[in-house]
Amino acid sequence: MDARFLRRHRITVQVQANQIWYSSRSPAWAVAAVAGQAGLEGYQMVSKDDEAIDEQLLLSSQGATAADVIGSAQLGESLALLLQDGLGLTDGDELDDDAPVIRMINAILNEAASRRASDIHLEPYESGSVVRFRVDGLLQDVAHPPRALHAALISRIKVMAQLDIAEKRLPQDGRMTVKSPSGLIDLRISTLPTGFGERAVLRLLAKGKGPLSLHEVGMSSETLQRFKSLVNRSFGILLVTGPTGSGKTTTLYAALSELDAKTRNIMTVEDPIEYDMPGIAQTQVHPKIGLSFAQSLRSILRQDPDVILIGEIRDLETAQIAIQASLTGHLVLATLHTNDSSSAVSRLLDMGVEPFLLSSSLIGVLAQRLVRRRCSSCMPRSIMGCDDCGQSGFKGRLGIFELLIVDDAIRSAIKLRGDASDIRRMALDMPGFLPLQRDGARLVSSGVTTEQEIARVTASGHEELV
């Protein structure tokens, strides 16, 4: 039911109380039309005075805050239907708080939360636009709204994130926190101009959801024991590597949860801060004002830290400070973008890190990927796809890992600038070292995932993985 229809006829729907409020000035036919809507059959009809109706209409019209807007999504409306018909949107509706575009954004956000999506994509093309969700690492089309709606959807997102709606030629970044039926969601918004208009990507993070423990990320018992031994060392640098979206930060947070923050000063520098960790000092970088990873690390080292977490080593300066910190009695945990554990050494050497410093400081490298977990509702029935998993056959993800512990032989190879293939051959001869695909084989044998899923995320060209 259009919000303007309800306002015009002085009717409000109280979803929490399962009630429909109307006043003495509400036409009987309008009240009957609302009561006949799908999903409202059991709602109680309640007559209210004009003051109470006015108060509720005022609350529903205050769409300036994201929390109020997301909470006003009405009656579980179908996202596909909302975006298909456009709800009579006109050019003047773009900045109107009562515009149907608000309901569309509400429906997009609520459906993304219910599907456990990590990202929302709004993409313009010549003949239309596409709304896509990234669920369990893969994008899927959700709706194809008319091309005329796209600019209004982007403008509404900009308003909610307090971005400049008039600037359409430059990329913009923002963030906001909204409410959904499942709780608070932190959104990171990025807009980018393209040939057919602006596209937007929204990254979703459930704020109420705390970090996992190391027992929950999916490590085998042997890898878990060896990784814990590294986390509990008093100094050195421990790297977690993998592509974007492979769960590196989640693993590092899980590692921090193993440490006693009461007896150790644990500090982090992140971009952004993804989880609030009690007892841990967390710093958000702000490149626009000069607060980079390197600048933050310099200041952190003057704060008497025991353990330092670096969200990502992006440049030589950050790498040098991290290594110097690990050599002066600090445990440094950091992420790096490489395909496997042995490539981390080559990446740091290519950045310009001196081999003798790296060989003295690096204690281990954990490479990881996320694989989709087979749907627990499908598996007992020997089918591949049900309503619970959206007919995909998978629901949720689990990690697979390869852990390289730096021993004397590998330290010597690093000093001699050994390349990644040399270090990998040495790692394969080490007891307990398992490449990613072999670690994934244990999940396939237990029925948790499939061979095709392991092959999809571990395609690397290494012969020992074939």
Side-chain angles (χ1 to χ4, degrees), residues 18-83:
N18 291 339
Q19 293 179 345
I20 298 174
W21 291 7
Y22 63 95
S23 75
S24 58
R25 290 191 284 164
S26 303
W29 65 268
V31 176
V34 174
Q37 290 291 306
L40 299 182
E41 296 86 350
Y43 277 44
Q44 180 184 3
M45 310 301 295
V46 180
S47 177
K48 292 286 186 177
D49 57 34
D50 286 338
E51 184 178 353
I53 294 292
D54 287 339
E55 181 181 354
Q56 290 301 312
L57 291 175
L58 179 61
L59 288 174
S60 65
S61 68
Q62 293 174 339
T65 67
D68 289 336
V69 170
I70 191 77
S72 67
Q74 298 176 19
L75 318 181
E77 293 170 293
S78 166
L79 173 61
L81 290 177
L82 278 172
L83 296 180

Side-chain angles (χ1 to χ4, degrees), residues 28 40 50 78 125 140 177 181 193 220-221 239 242 259 276 286 291 308 317 335 362 411 418-419 421 441 454:
L40 299 182
D50 286 338
S78 166
Y125 297 100
Q140 51 187 241
T177 300
S220 66
S221 57
L239 299 175
L259 302 175
D276 294 328
H286 292 284
L291 186 60
I308 303 172
E317 187 178 16
T335 72
L362 187 64
R411 291 189 196 282
D419 60 24
S421 59
I454 298 297

